[in-house]
Amino acid sequence: MPSSLDLSGRIALVTGASRGIGYFLAKELAAAGAHVIAVARTVGGLEELDDEIKAAGGEATLVPLDLTDMAGIDRLGGAIHERWGKLDIMVANAGILGVISPIGHVEAKVFEKVMEINVTSVWRLIRSLDPLLRASDAGRAILMSSGAAHSARAFWGPYAASKAAVEALARSWAHETENMPLRVNTVNPGATRTAMRAQAMPGEDPQTLPHPSEVARKILPLASAEVTETGLIFDVRKDRFIRYHMPE
Ligand code: NDP
């Protein structure tokens, strides 16, 4: 994959762009020349991102949207179709942890919310954006997974199940599209210094973890037209594609 990437003229959508990994990946994509469509609920975080992107000479469109609003996801696809007629890069990054708890103690509404945001909204995004990604000459779909999909550690049940579902969806989609330019891959970013990680591991010193900007720089090359792999997992720690995670 190229060390410096030219994404000028490319349209890139990033969910969960208001903070954490999505924020820095949106910045990287814009710095490489892409027009970034930044999706999240927190308007303040999106505006901060917009300021940073503009200050660096880039371009963004802000979309304040709660991804539980499935009709809103459909409308977003319609709006992108109207304005650009295609989408080059989709980063389905937004996600929630839910709760770290024995499976039998998880409240129904927490389990359902994890599935709604981590799985159903990703499927809905795929459904809404697949025709636009196919319209690109080099569509790239990047779906954020986690090592939890495979390690399935004790007490991480809902989150682990949701990420395993994302990987299965991505692989099915990759099989459906393997004979076209679209490439579909998942990413395991590894433990990263974000709000979600702090929620999962409150006793951990965040300074021992990579900053999300560092992780985002490693993920950026997946947006390149030169990527040939599809249906794989990109392991950020290993800095290469793998087929499945081996539990640690
Ligand atoms: P953060 O908690 O820092 O950020 C999550 C992002 O998702 C925010 O921008 C948030 O925006 C958005 N989001 C959450 N709920 C919704 C919603 N209902 N509608 C729209 N946007 C929403 O998480 P990370 O940056 O740590 O995680 C990013 C991805 O990486 C996730 O998929 C996570 O599972 C994965 N990951 C992270 C790891 C880590 O160690 N950090 C390790 C492995 C995987 P807002 O609240 O403004 O809506």
Side-chain angles (χ1 to χ4, degrees):
M1 283 183 279
S3 53
S4 79
L5 196 55
D6 181 7
L7 297 177
S8 37
R10 303 259 147 204
I11 313 299
L13 178 137
V14 182
T15 67
S18 60
R19 63 169 185 270
I21 297 167
Y23 181 100
F24 289 95
L25 192 48
K27 254 184 80 174
E28 289 289 333
L29 288 161
H35 183 106
V36 169
I37 303 166
V39 182
R41 291 168 303 178
T42 311
V43 174
L46 292 177
E47 285 178 347
E48 200 180 310
L49 173 69
D50 193 38
D51 289 346
E52 284 209 67
I53 287 177
K54 286 206 176 109
E59 281 180 4
T61 297
L62 307 185
V63 181
L65 177 70
D66 187 326
L67 289 166
T68 61
D69 175 1
M70 301 296 162
I73 294 175
D74 295 349
R75 284 196 300 275
L76 177 58
I80 295 170
H81 175 72
E82 289 282 303
R83 184 160 168 195
W84 291 287
K86 64 153 188 179
L87 181 68
D88 300 295
I89 299 152
M90 175 191 102
V91 184
N93 161 80
I96 60 169
L97 177 71
V99 68
I100 301 293
S101 160
I103 291 171
H105 295 194
V106 178
E107 285 179 48
K109 66 173 190 307
V110 173
F111 187 86
E112 283 159 12
K113 193 89 177 170
V114 170
M115 291 299 156
E116 188 177 22
I117 294 170
N118 293 6
V119 185
T120 310
S121 85
V122 172
W123 159 72
R124 196 76 175 219
L125 266 180
I126 294 171
R127 197 179 76 152
S128 176
L129 303 178
D130 167 80
L132 296 163
L133 286 160
R134 288 175 192 238
S136 167
D137 60 355
R140 297 290 174 263
I142 301 165
L143 296 90
M144 214 54 75
S145 185
S146 163
H150 301 267
S151 62
R153 294 163 65 174
F155 313 126
W156 287 62
Y159 180 78
S162 75
K163 293 302 187 180
V166 166
E167 291 194 5
L169 263 178
R171 285 205 303 278
S172 280
W173 191 23
H175 282 132
E176 289 171 21
T177 55
E178 62 193 352
N179 294 325
M180 44 190 82
L182 177 58
R183 306 285 84 185
V184 178
N185 291 295
T186 56
V187 172
N188 173 16
T192 307
R193 197 188 315 163
T194 69
M196 182 192 284
R197 179 71 189 184
Q199 183 196 346
M201 299 291 208
E204 184 177 63
D205 176 3
Q207 297 308 318
T208 60
L209 301 174
H211 191 269
S213 58
E214 196 183 317
V215 170
R217 274 194 296 277
K218 294 256 178 71
I219 299 171
L220 178 69
L222 296 184
S224 166
E226 290 176 28
V227 169
T228 54
E229 294 86 348
T230 196
L232 298 183
I233 302 159
F234 184 78
D235 188 310
V236 168
R237 285 279 166 78
K238 296 190 169 84
D239 203 14
R240 64 178 168 81
F241 284 102
I242 61 168
R243 226 162 258 285
Y244 299 106
H245 293 290
M246 297 306 291
E248 306 203 338

